Amino acid sequence: MLWIKNGQLVDPIKGVMEQLDLVIEDGRIAQQPPRGVFKPEGEQIEVIDAAGKVVVPGLLDMHVHLREPGFEYKETIASGTLAALAGGFTGVACMPNTSPPNDCRAVTEFILKKAALAGFARVYPIAAISVGQKGEMLTDFGDLKEGGALAVSDDGFPVVSSELMRRALEYGRYHGLMVISHSEDRTLSGDGVMHEGFVSTRIGLAGIPDAAEDIMVYREISLARLTGCPVHIAHVSTATSVELIRRAKEENLPVTAETAPHYFSLDHNALRGYDTNAKVNPPLRALKDVEAIKRGLAEGVIDVIASDHAPHSVLEKEVEFDKAAFGLIGLQTTLSLTLELVREGVLGLPEAIAKLSLRPSRILGLGSGHLEAGSIADLAVIDPDVEYEFKASDVLSKSKNSPFIGRVLKGRSDLTLMGGKVVWRRIP
């Protein structure tokens, strides 16, 4: 038996914080007694004193690149899931752009086997929509589902064919697989490397206009309207996309959306010094877009906060800006950056935690992300007030490509439990 006492318990279902303890037995939450009420008798019990801390459901990152198989020099399933635990995440959904891509059952099963061997955070494979992520022919959704895939996406490669995307939505609904859209019109983004605006003009880099995202978001919404099938919009970055998704939800269309912390923590001015660690796709946008993302989160237009953890080695990042790979790591900074929204008054803490746990769980059909009695005891104990400098030496990922290294952040996970067992503890 494990007793977590004296903490503030976040209930993302009720949207409240309560002074409750947690009692865990046989890997599940047995009860939530009010503080000071539980009196253990006659058995050995492990006690965790969470005084001054917040107890939350294990976080779920629904947009992560673990790079294995094929790019183990950037990240492995073991290193990525260890970084996840340090960030308070007990589960990650990994995108298919590996080598070979996760477009068949064999790769899906390989990922699950490697995750089980690592024994860190739970891994939920997201398979490819199309064979080879080439946008030409659908993968075998039924076989992928049986192999353990939870959703499908060609993330990193937009599905150009509207007809193919329509079929993906229809087959996805039939097989119980969420379809996740990488919304980008490559004929517009072209050779762009950052947001198209006054900063790109000033520093002489090719730009990617807002419309490259907006047009494809509009298409996905139109297809959801046509088919009645759910679609999830990944890494939303523009004000227009937020407004399109808002209108879709007002129509009660089956559309959900996510954004990443860098889209509400940074804008395109972060690239004035040509920092390739801030080169991401979609790119960091203008301040008006940052503010729109925050409003979208506050108003429930954007359902989920996900890291879009995209590790790259120095081989891809310490090069000329035009040649550098898109992407940054985020598993260990997502919680801290999200807590900044709480301090700004954009989100309450229960709502922020819901966007990191309950909401992605519901979208992926997992049933986790809460601390109800009887649920598996995956949880994190966080210190919302601690200030720390995020250093390269803190990074557990194999890659260090974060623009937040050297930045003072506030709030982080101190303890992560899976199935009622402590699997990661911060050393003071």
Side-chain angles (χ1 to χ4, degrees), residues 378-400:
D378 289 359
L379 56 97
V381 179
I382 67 175
D383 184 340
D385 299 317
V386 64
E387 288 191 351
Y388 67 100
E389 180 184 348
F390 184 57
K391 301 177 181 178
S393 58
D394 297 327
V395 177
L396 298 179
S397 170
K398 291 186 74 172
S399 297
K400 315 295 182 184

Side-chain angles (χ1 to χ4, degrees), residues 69 96-104 107-108 111 127-128 130-133 157:
N97 45 351
T98 50
S99 181
N102 183 12
D103 63 357
C104 66
V107 179
T108 300
I111 291 168
S130 64
V131 176
Q133 295 180 283
F157 301 92

Side-chain angles (χ1 to χ4, degrees), residues 1-2 43 52 86 94 113 147 166 231 249 269 298 333 337 351 381 388-389 406 424:
M1 181 181 290
L2 175 65
E43 63 179 297
C94 58
K113 182 179 179 180
R166 173 186 180 172
V231 65
K249 292 195 169 191
N269 283 290
T333 53
L337 296 170
E351 178 63 17
V381 179
Y388 67 100
E389 180 184 348
W424 188 86

